[in-house]
Amino acid sequence: MPIAVISSLYRCQQHLPSFTAAVFGFAKRVSESGIAAHYLLIVNDATRREREQIELLASEINSHYYGRMTPIYVARETLYASWNRGIAATEAPYFTFWNADDFRQSDALREGYRAMKKGAALVDFDYTRVTSVKRFGLLAQERRIHVPCMYTGGGLTRRSGIGPFFMASRSLFNQVGAFDRNFQVAGDTEWASRAAPYAKFYRGEAKGGEFVVHGDNLSNSGGDREDIEVNIIFMRLSAWHQLRPANPAAMRDAWERWGNPGGIAIPPAEARFLWGAGAETRWKRYQAERRQAPALRRLRLSLASRGLIQSVEWAMAQRGRDRQ
């Protein structure tokens, strides 16, 4: 099997009907294009009903010869521990990932596979971000936003993280090392930051798929854990100008307990910024500003850019620009 498609699943019952239908159609198209794929489902703490549906899907895929599907049942573990487990369970020279609540495009996988056959080691794509927005208390309306591929393979910034539909080669994985299982949200971007110096990068022309935001996503949540993990990525790179306010106590605990395996010395000014005097007030104001309605947020940033009001969010954006 030349390519592995790995899914880490946990309490995914509500997404399984759409996921199984999407995977079956995807596997059929990929198989008909001549690509043999190995689908690995790493199922965390599966319920009986989840097992039944997953075994049925695997039976359908395998009996129709639409590639090969292998369910692997494990106790609950982090997303990136499951990703490492999936890679270890296959001999495929290329791999990618599929979250149960997203939709992948088969033409992107075909393009990425061809690019890696020609020597690319890391491939990323544009994608569509799908959200549901309630207006005036009425029924939710679907909003679809085109998100361009921001990863360049060069220096990492807060705007150049890896996308949800990236593909990579096993040789690059062997060179860079495993995903850091301590991460819960941003481990893909952390791994991509380590891969950047070595990878021959290719930006795909196809759209990778649809990333569905529904409130239970690990990434793109703007939550405390995501803020902390993104800071840790840049702290490991000594890219101090990229740091942003985060929960001071949790930030310090994460950095000292698991975020700093290399023993990096954080500059005193950056330590004060993250967890010193005034850090908690700054963080709470930063959170409040980011939660404002889009129109009000744009107005505030516009006024702050003219020096008419104070804004932590604006100050952080300028901090990054001034120190790059």
Side-chain angles (χ1 to χ4, degrees), residues 39-95:
Y39 301 90
L40 295 111
L41 308 183
I42 316 301
V43 192
N44 286 242
D45 194 20
T47 66
R48 180 182 60 81
R49 181 59 178 153
E50 285 172 341
R51 279 180 177 262
E52 291 173 352
Q53 290 185 262
I54 288 166
E55 290 296 332
L56 179 60
L57 173 61
S59 175
E60 288 293 307
I61 294 291
N62 294 331
S63 63
H64 284 83
Y65 304 104
Y66 294 154
R68 177 160 59 95
M69 178 169 283
T70 305
I72 301 174
Y73 300 97
V74 299
R76 190 178 181 184
E77 60 188 6
T78 66
L79 171 67
Y80 304 105
S82 284
W83 282 14
N84 291 333
R85 186 185 299 276
I87 293 170
T90 181
E91 297 180 355
Y94 312 114
F95 61 86

Short mmCIF file of all heavy atoms in Angstrom, two decimals, residues 39-95:
data_model
loop_
_atom_site.label_atom_id
_atom_site.label_comp_id
_atom_site.label_asym_id
_atom_site.label_seq_id
_atom_site.Cartn_x
_atom_site.Cartn_y
_atom_site.Cartn_z
N TYR A 39 -6.27 2.42 4.98
CA TYR A 39 -7.03 3.26 5.90
C TYR A 39 -6.90 2.68 7.31
O TYR A 39 -7.29 1.53 7.55
CB TYR A 39 -8.50 3.33 5.48
CG TYR A 39 -8.68 3.88 4.08
CD1 TYR A 39 -8.68 3.03 2.97
CD2 TYR A 39 -8.80 5.24 3.87
CE1 TYR A 39 -8.81 3.53 1.69
CE2 TYR A 39 -8.94 5.76 2.59
CZ TYR A 39 -8.94 4.90 1.50
OH TYR A 39 -9.06 5.41 0.22
N LEU A 40 -6.33 3.46 8.21
CA LEU A 40 -6.14 3.01 9.58
C LEU A 40 -7.00 3.85 10.50
O LEU A 40 -6.86 5.08 10.53
CB LEU A 40 -4.67 3.11 9.99
CG LEU A 40 -3.73 2.19 9.20
CD1 LEU A 40 -2.84 3.02 8.30
CD2 LEU A 40 -2.90 1.33 10.14
N LEU A 41 -7.89 3.20 11.23
CA LEU A 41 -8.76 3.88 12.17
C LEU A 41 -8.27 3.57 13.58
O LEU A 41 -8.38 2.42 14.03
CB LEU A 41 -10.21 3.44 12.00
CG LEU A 41 -10.78 3.51 10.58
CD1 LEU A 41 -12.26 3.08 10.60
CD2 LEU A 41 -10.65 4.91 10.00
N ILE A 42 -7.71 4.55 14.26
CA ILE A 42 -7.25 4.37 15.63
C ILE A 42 -8.39 4.81 16.53
O ILE A 42 -8.64 6.01 16.70
CB ILE A 42 -5.98 5.19 15.91
CG1 ILE A 42 -4.98 5.07 14.75
CG2 ILE A 42 -5.37 4.74 17.24
CD1 ILE A 42 -4.54 3.67 14.45
N VAL A 43 -9.13 3.85 17.09
CA VAL A 43 -10.37 4.13 17.79
C VAL A 43 -10.11 4.14 19.29
O VAL A 43 -9.80 3.12 19.90
CB VAL A 43 -11.45 3.09 17.44
CG1 VAL A 43 -12.81 3.57 17.93
CG2 VAL A 43 -11.49 2.85 15.93
N ASN A 44 -10.26 5.31 19.89
CA ASN A 44 -9.98 5.49 21.31
C ASN A 44 -11.22 5.18 22.14
O ASN A 44 -12.29 5.77 21.93
CB ASN A 44 -9.56 6.94 21.58
CG ASN A 44 -8.15 7.27 21.11
OD1 ASN A 44 -7.30 7.61 21.90
ND2 ASN A 44 -7.91 7.16 19.81
N ASP A 45 -11.06 4.24 23.09
CA ASP A 45 -12.10 3.94 24.07
C ASP A 45 -13.46 3.76 23.38
O ASP A 45 -14.45 4.41 23.72
CB ASP A 45 -12.16 5.07 25.11
CG ASP A 45 -12.97 4.69 26.34
OD1 ASP A 45 -13.16 3.49 26.58
OD2 ASP A 45 -13.44 5.61 27.04
N ALA A 46 -13.50 2.87 22.42
CA ALA A 46 -14.69 2.71 21.58
C ALA A 46 -15.89 2.19 22.36
O ALA A 46 -15.77 1.32 23.23
CB ALA A 46 -14.38 1.76 20.43
N THR A 47 -17.05 2.70 22.02
CA THR A 47 -18.30 2.15 22.54
C THR A 47 -18.69 0.95 21.68
O THR A 47 -18.16 0.74 20.59
CB THR A 47 -19.42 3.19 22.50
OG1 THR A 47 -19.72 3.51 21.12
CG2 THR A 47 -19.02 4.46 23.23
N ARG A 48 -19.63 0.17 22.18
CA ARG A 48 -20.08 -0.99 21.42
C ARG A 48 -20.66 -0.57 20.07
O ARG A 48 -20.38 -1.19 19.04
CB ARG A 48 -21.14 -1.76 22.22
CG ARG A 48 -21.68 -3.01 21.51
CD ARG A 48 -22.76 -3.67 22.34
NE ARG A 48 -23.88 -2.77 22.58
CZ ARG A 48 -24.86 -2.57 21.68
NH1 ARG A 48 -24.85 -3.18 20.51
NH2 ARG A 48 -25.86 -1.75 21.96
N ARG A 49 -21.46 0.49 20.08
CA ARG A 49 -22.08 0.95 18.84
C ARG A 49 -21.03 1.44 17.85
O ARG A 49 -21.13 1.18 16.64
CB ARG A 49 -23.08 2.07 19.15
CG ARG A 49 -23.80 2.62 17.93
CD ARG A 49 -24.57 1.55 17.20
NE ARG A 49 -25.30 2.08 16.06
CZ ARG A 49 -25.61 1.38 14.98
NH1 ARG A 49 -25.26 0.10 14.90
NH2 ARG A 49 -26.29 1.92 14.00
N GLU A 50 -20.01 2.14 18.35
CA GLU A 50 -18.94 2.61 17.46
C GLU A 50 -18.21 1.42 16.84
O GLU A 50 -17.91 1.43 15.64
CB GLU A 50 -17.96 3.49 18.25
CG GLU A 50 -18.51 4.88 18.55
CD GLU A 50 -17.61 5.67 19.48
OE1 GLU A 50 -16.76 5.06 20.18
OE2 GLU A 50 -17.74 6.90 19.51
N ARG A 51 -17.92 0.41 17.63
CA ARG A 51 -17.25 -0.78 17.10
C ARG A 51 -18.08 -1.43 15.99
O ARG A 51 -17.54 -1.82 14.95
CB ARG A 51 -17.00 -1.81 18.21
CG ARG A 51 -15.79 -1.54 19.07
CD ARG A 51 -15.65 -2.62 20.14
NE ARG A 51 -14.47 -2.45 20.95
CZ ARG A 51 -13.32 -3.11 20.76
NH1 ARG A 51 -13.21 -3.99 19.78
NH2 ARG A 51 -12.29 -2.91 21.56
N GLU A 52 -19.36 -1.54 16.21
CA GLU A 52 -20.22 -2.17 15.21
C GLU A 52 -20.17 -1.41 13.89
O GLU A 52 -20.04 -2.01 12.81
CB GLU A 52 -21.66 -2.23 15.73
CG GLU A 52 -21.87 -3.20 16.88
CD GLU A 52 -23.26 -3.10 17.47
OE1 GLU A 52 -24.01 -2.17 17.07
OE2 GLU A 52 -23.62 -3.95 18.31
N GLN A 53 -20.28 -0.09 13.94
CA GLN A 53 -20.29 0.70 12.71
C GLN A 53 -18.93 0.70 12.04
O GLN A 53 -18.85 0.65 10.80
CB GLN A 53 -20.73 2.14 13.04
CG GLN A 53 -22.19 2.26 13.42
CD GLN A 53 -22.61 3.70 13.62
OE1 GLN A 53 -22.67 4.19 14.75
NE2 GLN A 53 -22.91 4.39 12.55
N ILE A 54 -17.88 0.74 12.82
CA ILE A 54 -16.54 0.75 12.25
C ILE A 54 -16.21 -0.60 11.61
O ILE A 54 -15.63 -0.67 10.52
CB ILE A 54 -15.51 1.14 13.32
CG1 ILE A 54 -15.65 2.64 13.63
CG2 ILE A 54 -14.09 0.81 12.89
CD1 ILE A 54 -14.95 3.07 14.88
N GLU A 55 -16.59 -1.69 12.27
CA GLU A 55 -16.35 -3.01 11.68
C GLU A 55 -17.14 -3.19 10.39
O GLU A 55 -16.66 -3.80 9.43
CB GLU A 55 -16.72 -4.10 12.69
CG GLU A 55 -15.78 -4.19 13.89
CD GLU A 55 -14.37 -4.60 13.48
OE1 GLU A 55 -14.21 -5.29 12.46
OE2 GLU A 55 -13.43 -4.20 14.20
N LEU A 56 -18.35 -2.64 10.34
CA LEU A 56 -19.15 -2.71 9.12
C LEU A 56 -18.48 -1.93 8.00
O LEU A 56 -18.40 -2.41 6.86
CB LEU A 56 -20.55 -2.16 9.38
CG LEU A 56 -21.50 -2.15 8.18
CD1 LEU A 56 -21.71 -3.56 7.64
CD2 LEU A 56 -22.84 -1.52 8.57
N LEU A 57 -17.98 -0.74 8.30
CA LEU A 57 -17.28 0.06 7.28
C LEU A 57 -16.05 -0.68 6.78
O LEU A 57 -15.81 -0.76 5.56
CB LEU A 57 -16.88 1.42 7.87
CG LEU A 57 -15.99 2.29 6.97
CD1 LEU A 57 -16.69 2.64 5.67
CD2 LEU A 57 -15.58 3.56 7.72
N ALA A 58 -15.26 -1.23 7.70
CA ALA A 58 -14.04 -1.95 7.30
C ALA A 58 -14.39 -3.14 6.41
O ALA A 58 -13.70 -3.42 5.42
CB ALA A 58 -13.27 -2.41 8.54
N SER A 59 -15.45 -3.84 6.75
CA SER A 59 -15.88 -4.98 5.95
C SER A 59 -16.26 -4.55 4.54
O SER A 59 -15.91 -5.20 3.55
CB SER A 59 -17.05 -5.68 6.63
OG SER A 59 -17.55 -6.72 5.82
N GLU A 60 -16.97 -3.42 4.43
CA GLU A 60 -17.39 -2.92 3.12
C GLU A 60 -16.19 -2.50 2.28
O GLU A 60 -16.10 -2.82 1.09
CB GLU A 60 -18.35 -1.74 3.30
CG GLU A 60 -19.72 -2.12 3.80
CD GLU A 60 -20.49 -2.93 2.77
OE1 GLU A 60 -20.62 -2.48 1.62
OE2 GLU A 60 -20.94 -4.04 3.11
N ILE A 61 -15.25 -1.78 2.88
CA ILE A 61 -14.06 -1.34 2.15
C ILE A 61 -13.25 -2.54 1.67
O ILE A 61 -12.86 -2.64 0.50
CB ILE A 61 -13.17 -0.43 3.04
CG1 ILE A 61 -13.89 0.88 3.37
CG2 ILE A 61 -11.82 -0.16 2.36
CD1 ILE A 61 -14.09 1.81 2.22
N ASN A 62 -13.01 -3.48 2.58
CA ASN A 62 -12.15 -4.62 2.25
C ASN A 62 -12.82 -5.58 1.27
O ASN A 62 -12.16 -6.13 0.38
CB ASN A 62 -11.76 -5.35 3.53
CG ASN A 62 -10.88 -4.50 4.44
OD1 ASN A 62 -10.13 -3.65 3.97
ND2 ASN A 62 -10.97 -4.72 5.74
N SER A 63 -14.13 -5.78 1.39
CA SER A 63 -14.81 -6.72 0.50
C SER A 63 -14.96 -6.16 -0.91
O SER A 63 -15.04 -6.92 -1.89
CB SER A 63 -16.18 -7.09 1.06
OG SER A 63 -17.03 -5.95 1.14
N HIS A 64 -15.02 -4.84 -1.04
CA HIS A 64 -15.11 -4.23 -2.36
C HIS A 64 -13.73 -3.94 -2.97
O HIS A 64 -13.62 -3.42 -4.07
CB HIS A 64 -15.89 -2.91 -2.29
CG HIS A 64 -17.37 -3.10 -2.16
ND1 HIS A 64 -17.99 -3.35 -0.95
CD2 HIS A 64 -18.35 -3.09 -3.09
CE1 HIS A 64 -19.30 -3.47 -1.14
NE2 HIS A 64 -19.55 -3.31 -2.42
N TYR A 65 -12.67 -4.28 -2.24
CA TYR A 65 -11.30 -4.07 -2.69
C TYR A 65 -11.01 -2.59 -2.98
O TYR A 65 -10.26 -2.25 -3.89
CB TYR A 65 -11.00 -4.92 -3.93
CG TYR A 65 -11.24 -6.39 -3.71
CD1 TYR A 65 -12.38 -7.01 -4.24
CD2 TYR A 65 -10.36 -7.15 -2.94
CE1 TYR A 65 -12.63 -8.35 -4.02
CE2 TYR A 65 -10.62 -8.50 -2.72
CZ TYR A 65 -11.74 -9.09 -3.26
OH TYR A 65 -11.98 -10.41 -3.02
N TYR A 66 -11.58 -1.73 -2.16
CA TYR A 66 -11.30 -0.29 -2.28
C TYR A 66 -10.17 0.07 -1.32
O TYR A 66 -10.31 0.90 -0.43
CB TYR A 66 -12.54 0.53 -1.95
CG TYR A 66 -13.67 0.37 -2.92
CD1 TYR A 66 -14.98 0.59 -2.54
CD2 TYR A 66 -13.44 0.02 -4.25
CE1 TYR A 66 -16.04 0.47 -3.43
CE2 TYR A 66 -14.48 -0.12 -5.15
CZ TYR A 66 -15.78 0.10 -4.74
OH TYR A 66 -16.81 -0.03 -5.64
N GLY A 67 -9.01 -0.57 -1.53
CA GLY A 67 -7.92 -0.41 -0.59
C GLY A 67 -8.09 -1.37 0.57
O GLY A 67 -8.81 -2.37 0.49
N ARG A 68 -7.44 -1.06 1.69
CA ARG A 68 -7.51 -1.92 2.87
C ARG A 68 -7.78 -1.06 4.09
O ARG A 68 -7.20 0.02 4.24
CB ARG A 68 -6.20 -2.70 3.06
CG ARG A 68 -6.14 -3.57 4.30
CD ARG A 68 -5.06 -4.64 4.15
NE ARG A 68 -3.74 -4.08 3.95
CZ ARG A 68 -2.85 -3.86 4.92
NH1 ARG A 68 -3.18 -4.14 6.17
NH2 ARG A 68 -1.66 -3.39 4.66
N MET A 69 -8.67 -1.51 4.97
CA MET A 69 -8.97 -0.77 6.18
C MET A 69 -8.65 -1.62 7.40
O MET A 69 -9.06 -2.78 7.48
CB MET A 69 -10.43 -0.32 6.23
CG MET A 69 -10.81 0.42 7.51
SD MET A 69 -12.42 1.23 7.42
CE MET A 69 -12.03 2.67 6.43
N THR A 70 -7.93 -1.03 8.36
CA THR A 70 -7.53 -1.71 9.58
C THR A 70 -7.98 -0.90 10.79
O THR A 70 -7.42 0.15 11.08
CB THR A 70 -6.01 -1.90 9.65
OG1 THR A 70 -5.55 -2.58 8.47
CG2 THR A 70 -5.61 -2.68 10.89
N PRO A 71 -9.01 -1.33 11.52
CA PRO A 71 -9.35 -0.67 12.78
C PRO A 71 -8.39 -1.13 13.88
O PRO A 71 -8.04 -2.31 13.98
CB PRO A 71 -10.77 -1.15 13.07
CG PRO A 71 -11.24 -1.85 11.82
CD PRO A 71 -10.01 -2.35 11.14
N ILE A 72 -7.96 -0.19 14.71
CA ILE A 72 -7.09 -0.50 15.85
C ILE A 72 -7.75 0.12 17.08
O ILE A 72 -7.94 1.34 17.14
CB ILE A 72 -5.68 0.07 15.65
CG1 ILE A 72 -5.04 -0.52 14.37
CG2 ILE A 72 -4.80 -0.19 16.87
CD1 ILE A 72 -3.70 0.10 14.02
N TYR A 73 -8.09 -0.71 18.05
CA TYR A 73 -8.81 -0.25 19.24
C TYR A 73 -7.83 -0.07 20.39
O TYR A 73 -7.06 -0.99 20.72
CB TYR A 73 -9.91 -1.23 19.60
CG TYR A 73 -10.92 -1.39 18.49
CD1 TYR A 73 -10.84 -2.46 17.58
CD2 TYR A 73 -11.94 -0.46 18.31
CE1 TYR A 73 -11.77 -2.59 16.55
CE2 TYR A 73 -12.86 -0.59 17.29
CZ TYR A 73 -12.77 -1.65 16.40
OH TYR A 73 -13.68 -1.78 15.38
N VAL A 74 -7.86 1.12 20.99
CA VAL A 74 -6.92 1.45 22.06
C VAL A 74 -7.66 2.15 23.19
O VAL A 74 -8.78 2.64 23.02
CB VAL A 74 -5.78 2.36 21.54
CG1 VAL A 74 -5.00 1.67 20.44
CG2 VAL A 74 -6.33 3.71 21.06
N ALA A 75 -7.02 2.19 24.36
CA ALA A 75 -7.52 3.06 25.43
C ALA A 75 -7.32 4.50 25.00
O ALA A 75 -6.58 4.78 24.04
CB ALA A 75 -6.76 2.77 26.73
N ARG A 76 -7.95 5.42 25.67
CA ARG A 76 -7.85 6.81 25.25
C ARG A 76 -6.41 7.32 25.34
O ARG A 76 -5.71 7.09 26.32
CB ARG A 76 -8.76 7.70 26.11
CG ARG A 76 -8.86 9.11 25.54
CD ARG A 76 -9.79 9.99 26.33
NE ARG A 76 -9.87 11.31 25.74
CZ ARG A 76 -10.56 12.33 26.26
NH1 ARG A 76 -11.22 12.16 27.39
NH2 ARG A 76 -10.57 13.50 25.66
N GLU A 77 -5.99 8.00 24.28
CA GLU A 77 -4.66 8.59 24.21
C GLU A 77 -4.77 9.91 23.45
O GLU A 77 -5.82 10.23 22.91
CB GLU A 77 -3.68 7.64 23.50
CG GLU A 77 -4.06 7.30 22.07
CD GLU A 77 -3.18 6.20 21.47
OE1 GLU A 77 -2.33 5.63 22.18
OE2 GLU A 77 -3.36 5.91 20.26
N THR A 78 -3.69 10.66 23.41
CA THR A 78 -3.76 11.94 22.70
C THR A 78 -3.85 11.71 21.20
O THR A 78 -3.48 10.63 20.68
CB THR A 78 -2.54 12.82 23.00
OG1 THR A 78 -1.36 12.19 22.45
CG2 THR A 78 -2.36 13.04 24.49
N LEU A 79 -4.33 12.69 20.50
CA LEU A 79 -4.45 12.62 19.04
C LEU A 79 -3.13 12.24 18.40
O LEU A 79 -3.08 11.36 17.52
CB LEU A 79 -4.93 13.98 18.51
CG LEU A 79 -4.92 14.17 16.99
CD1 LEU A 79 -5.95 13.26 16.33
CD2 LEU A 79 -5.18 15.63 16.64
N TYR A 80 -2.06 12.87 18.84
CA TYR A 80 -0.77 12.66 18.16
C TYR A 80 -0.12 11.34 18.56
O TYR A 80 0.66 10.79 17.77
CB TYR A 80 0.14 13.87 18.42
CG TYR A 80 -0.56 15.14 17.97
CD1 TYR A 80 -1.10 16.03 18.88
CD2 TYR A 80 -0.76 15.39 16.61
CE1 TYR A 80 -1.79 17.16 18.46
CE2 TYR A 80 -1.44 16.51 16.18
CZ TYR A 80 -1.96 17.39 17.10
OH TYR A 80 -2.66 18.49 16.67
N ALA A 81 -0.47 10.80 19.71
CA ALA A 81 -0.06 9.43 20.03
C ALA A 81 -0.73 8.46 19.07
O ALA A 81 -0.11 7.50 18.60
CB ALA A 81 -0.42 9.10 21.48
N SER A 82 -2.00 8.71 18.75
CA SER A 82 -2.72 7.86 17.79
C SER A 82 -2.12 7.99 16.40
O SER A 82 -2.02 7.01 15.65
CB SER A 82 -4.20 8.22 17.77
OG SER A 82 -4.88 7.72 18.90
N TRP A 83 -1.74 9.21 16.02
CA TRP A 83 -1.10 9.39 14.71
C TRP A 83 0.19 8.58 14.63
O TRP A 83 0.45 7.89 13.63
CB TRP A 83 -0.82 10.87 14.48
CG TRP A 83 -2.03 11.67 14.08
CD1 TRP A 83 -3.33 11.29 14.16
CD2 TRP A 83 -2.03 12.99 13.53
NE1 TRP A 83 -4.14 12.29 13.70
CE2 TRP A 83 -3.38 13.34 13.31
CE3 TRP A 83 -1.04 13.92 13.22
CZ2 TRP A 83 -3.75 14.59 12.77
CZ3 TRP A 83 -1.40 15.15 12.69
CH2 TRP A 83 -2.74 15.47 12.47
N ASN A 84 1.02 8.66 15.66
CA ASN A 84 2.26 7.88 15.68
C ASN A 84 1.95 6.38 15.61
O ASN A 84 2.64 5.63 14.90
CB ASN A 84 3.05 8.16 16.96
CG ASN A 84 3.62 9.57 17.00
OD1 ASN A 84 3.89 10.17 15.98
ND2 ASN A 84 3.80 10.09 18.21
N ARG A 85 0.92 5.96 16.31
CA ARG A 85 0.53 4.54 16.30
C ARG A 85 0.12 4.11 14.89
O ARG A 85 0.47 3.02 14.43
CB ARG A 85 -0.62 4.31 17.29
CG ARG A 85 -1.01 2.85 17.47
CD ARG A 85 -2.23 2.71 18.37
NE ARG A 85 -2.00 3.23 19.71
CZ ARG A 85 -1.42 2.53 20.68
NH1 ARG A 85 -1.04 1.29 20.45
NH2 ARG A 85 -1.27 3.08 21.87
N GLY A 86 -0.64 4.95 14.21
CA GLY A 86 -1.07 4.61 12.86
C GLY A 86 0.10 4.49 11.90
O GLY A 86 0.15 3.57 11.08
N ILE A 87 1.04 5.41 11.99
CA ILE A 87 2.22 5.36 11.11
C ILE A 87 3.03 4.10 11.39
O ILE A 87 3.53 3.45 10.46
CB ILE A 87 3.08 6.63 11.30
CG1 ILE A 87 2.31 7.85 10.80
CG2 ILE A 87 4.41 6.52 10.58
CD1 ILE A 87 2.94 9.18 11.16
N ALA A 88 3.15 3.73 12.67
CA ALA A 88 3.90 2.52 13.03
C ALA A 88 3.21 1.26 12.55
O ALA A 88 3.87 0.22 12.37
CB ALA A 88 4.10 2.47 14.54
N ALA A 89 1.90 1.31 12.31
CA ALA A 89 1.13 0.11 11.96
C ALA A 89 1.05 -0.12 10.46
O ALA A 89 0.39 -1.08 10.03
CB ALA A 89 -0.28 0.21 12.55
N THR A 90 1.70 0.71 9.67
CA THR A 90 1.65 0.53 8.22
C THR A 90 3.04 0.68 7.63
O THR A 90 3.91 1.34 8.22
CB THR A 90 0.70 1.56 7.58
OG1 THR A 90 0.65 1.34 6.16
CG2 THR A 90 1.17 2.99 7.84
N GLU A 91 3.25 0.06 6.50
CA GLU A 91 4.52 0.20 5.79
C GLU A 91 4.43 1.18 4.63
O GLU A 91 5.38 1.32 3.86
CB GLU A 91 4.98 -1.17 5.29
CG GLU A 91 5.24 -2.18 6.41
CD GLU A 91 5.70 -3.52 5.87
OE1 GLU A 91 5.72 -3.69 4.63
OE2 GLU A 91 6.04 -4.39 6.70
N ALA A 92 3.32 1.86 4.51
CA ALA A 92 3.13 2.79 3.40
C ALA A 92 4.22 3.88 3.42
O ALA A 92 4.52 4.43 4.48
CB ALA A 92 1.76 3.44 3.49
N PRO A 93 4.78 4.22 2.27
CA PRO A 93 5.83 5.24 2.23
C PRO A 93 5.31 6.67 2.36
O PRO A 93 6.09 7.59 2.58
CB PRO A 93 6.47 5.03 0.86
CG PRO A 93 5.40 4.40 0.02
CD PRO A 93 4.61 3.55 0.95
N TYR A 94 3.98 6.87 2.24
CA TYR A 94 3.39 8.20 2.37
C TYR A 94 2.17 8.10 3.30
O TYR A 94 1.52 7.06 3.39
CB TYR A 94 2.95 8.74 1.01
CG TYR A 94 4.00 8.60 -0.07
CD1 TYR A 94 3.79 7.76 -1.17
CD2 TYR A 94 5.21 9.28 0.02
CE1 TYR A 94 4.76 7.62 -2.15
CE2 TYR A 94 6.19 9.13 -0.96
CZ TYR A 94 5.95 8.30 -2.04
OH TYR A 94 6.92 8.14 -3.01
N PHE A 95 1.86 9.21 3.95
CA PHE A 95 0.73 9.18 4.87
C PHE A 95 0.03 10.54 4.92
O PHE A 95 0.60 11.58 4.58
CB PHE A 95 1.17 8.77 6.28
CG PHE A 95 2.17 9.70 6.93
CD1 PHE A 95 1.75 10.83 7.63
CD2 PHE A 95 3.54 9.45 6.85
CE1 PHE A 95 2.65 11.69 8.23
CE2 PHE A 95 4.46 10.31 7.44
CZ PHE A 95 4.02 11.43 8.13
#
